[in-house]
Amino acid sequence: MKSVKIGDIKIKNPICLSPMAGFSSLPFRIICNEMGAGYSPTELVSARSIRYNGIDKSLRYMRISPSEEGITAIQLFGSEAEDFQAAIRTIMATPVLQEVKIIDINMGCPVPKVVKTGSGSALMEDAARASAIVKACKTTLAELCLNVPVTVKTRIGYNAEDKGKPDFAKALADAGCDMICVHGRTRPQMYHGDSSNEAIALMREAVRGYDIPFFANGDITDVSSAKKIIEETGCDGIMIGRAARGNPWIFEQVAAGLAGKEMPAFPDIAERKNMLIRELEGRLKYLPEDVAVREFRSVMPFYIKGIPGSAQLKVKLCGATGAEEVKEILGID
Ligand SMILES: Cc1cc2nc3c(=O)[nH]c(=O)nc-3n(C[C@H](O)[C@H](O)[C@H](O)COP(=O)(O)O)c2cc1C
């Protein structure tokens, strides 16, 4: 794949981590960067909460480390342009966040508690509002004299019968959006059923005349599914979500495969366990141990998937309350 620029930001590799609440932790994003991912946005953070509660409550979800993770991107969700503007001003006034390179807007989240506020995928039903949000973010960043691109991650439709929303993609591009990423499922599909490359391609075609990169997302699990989505959608870049959980090696595998190079060997059990510990230790740097271990319970099974005795290991890991206990269960000193 050709190299890609989002605004003036050069992405080292257009194979990126798709944002995932509960999984896109800072240590995991650092690991993905080392494995070759182009960039890895944070999980979604409420613009309204930042506006009204300040940054402290949200900081742990949007912690960035430019020196370790390369290009940094914070994903915001909301339904009011003013909330985004206030959130961006707060982010840019916060020393540990102000170096962020990309602001991403979530227009795809299907979770009812998000959708009922008019946020996430609900914005697909209101292109005027979605455009106003993009424009407001761009204006605020320009007022702050910051050359920070604004991107949108969305889906192929709000309703089950939707088969792509080309007009919506066009509206975003007209509003000045610097990159669009489309997940090939509708809102009611959540994460089930097939992701439609055909519907993504319709949206891709709608914005081909604009000078902005288009990313495709959905069901990329290996080199062949990556090749397929690229060929069938004509996208400039891809985002990989679930298949990267506990498997950051997927970025070097897919990059090598797409470049026609020999793929690195899949890591052995010891390497996978060590990576699990590395991510956990990264989380311990900014979370109390009990919270870090509790939240990591949903992540750990992905690192040990398929290894002999993984079912019993999973049960033990899910009962662990401390980092030393996790190491003991895994047989690591
Ligand atoms: C547990 C989980 C959390 C997610 N959280 C977010 C999120 O915070 N922001 C977002 O834009 N998408 C989120 N997604 C959607 C993914 O980024 C991605 O679009 C979707 O999983 C399809 O890609 P995949 O087939 O590669 O997983 C989430 C998905 C999962 C499974």
Side-chain angles (χ1 to χ4, degrees), residues 22-36:
F23 292 88
S24 295
S25 66
L26 174 58
F28 186 60
R29 300 193 325 262
I30 293 170
I31 292 167
C32 290
N33 178 43
E34 286 172 19
M35 293 293 164

Side-chain angles (χ1 to χ4, degrees), residues 173 192 194 211 236 263:
H192 312 296
D194 293 335
D211 191 19
D236 305 300
M263 286 204 285

Side-chain angles (χ1 to χ4, degrees), residues 177-231:
C177 182
D178 293 291
M179 178 279 242
I180 299 172
C181 175
V182 176
H183 170 196
R185 289 190 176 82
T186 59
R187 175 195 55 85
Q189 277 185 287
M190 305 283 283
Y191 303 103
H192 312 296
D194 293 335
S195 178
S196 168
N197 291 347
E198 206 181 320
I200 298 175
L202 271 182
M203 295 173 77
R204 197 284 159 271
E205 280 314 309
V207 294
R208 201 176 272 285
Y210 295 79
D211 191 19
I212 55 169
F214 182 96
F215 277 57
N217 162 246
D219 291 351
I220 302 167
T221 54
D222 52 16
V223 178
S224 68
S225 47
K227 273 190 185 150
K228 191 167 187 287
I229 201 169
I230 294 164
E231 280 166 18

Side-chain angles (χ1 to χ4, degrees), residues 60-269:
R60 49 174 300 214
Y61 303 109
M62 54 201 307
R63 203 170 279 275
I64 54 169
S65 176
S67 64
E68 296 172 289
E69 61 171 318
I71 304 298
T72 51
I74 290 176
Q75 188 185 67
L76 297 174
F77 75 95
S79 60
E80 301 291 337
E82 294 76 15
D83 290 347
F84 284 89
Q85 291 182 298
I88 287 173
R89 286 188 180 279
T90 303
I91 288 168
M92 294 310 181
T94 304
V96 291
L97 299 178
Q98 62 195 181
E99 279 185 62
V100 65
K101 289 285 182 283
I102 296 171
I103 296 291
D104 186 50
I105 305 174
N106 182 310
M107 298 196 187
C109 182
V111 175
K113 82 169 187 226
V114 169
V115 174
K116 75 168 188 246
T117 66
S119 312
S121 57
L123 286 167
M124 300 194 77
E125 289 294 89
D126 192 345
R129 182 179 284 265
S131 300
I133 289 173
V134 171
K135 282 184 191 156
C137 292
K138 300 274 296 180
T139 304
T140 302
L141 289 161
E143 283 166 4
L144 293 168
C145 298
L146 292 169
N147 184 14
V148 170
V150 174
T151 60
V152 169
K153 181 162 172 289
T154 187
R155 288 188 173 231
I156 56 164
Y158 181 82
N159 300 301
E161 58 276 18
D162 287 337
K163 293 186 168 51
K165 284 256 191 190
D167 291 346
F168 183 70
K170 216 165 164 302
L172 295 174
D174 281 331
C177 182
D178 293 291
M179 178 279 242
I180 299 172
C181 175
V182 176
H183 170 196
R185 289 190 176 82
T186 59
R187 175 195 55 85
Q189 277 185 287
M190 305 283 283
Y191 303 103
H192 312 296
D194 293 335
S195 178
S196 168
N197 291 347
E198 206 181 320
I200 298 175
L202 271 182
M203 295 173 77
R204 197 284 159 271
E205 280 314 309
V207 294
R208 201 176 272 285
Y210 295 79
D211 191 19
I212 55 169
F214 182 96
F215 277 57
N217 162 246
D219 291 351
I220 302 167
T221 54
D222 52 16
V223 178
S224 68
S225 47
K227 273 190 185 150
K228 191 167 187 287
I229 201 169
I230 294 164
E231 280 166 18
E232 292 181 1
T233 67
C235 62
D236 305 300
I238 52 176
M239 285 200 155
I240 303 177
R242 290 164 297 172
R245 293 181 296 187
N247 180 21
W249 298 274
I250 194 168
F251 295 103
E252 57 178 18
Q253 299 262 337
V254 169
L258 290 180
K261 294 184 185 154
E262 196 183 326
M263 286 204 285
F266 193 70
D268 62 18
I269 295 173

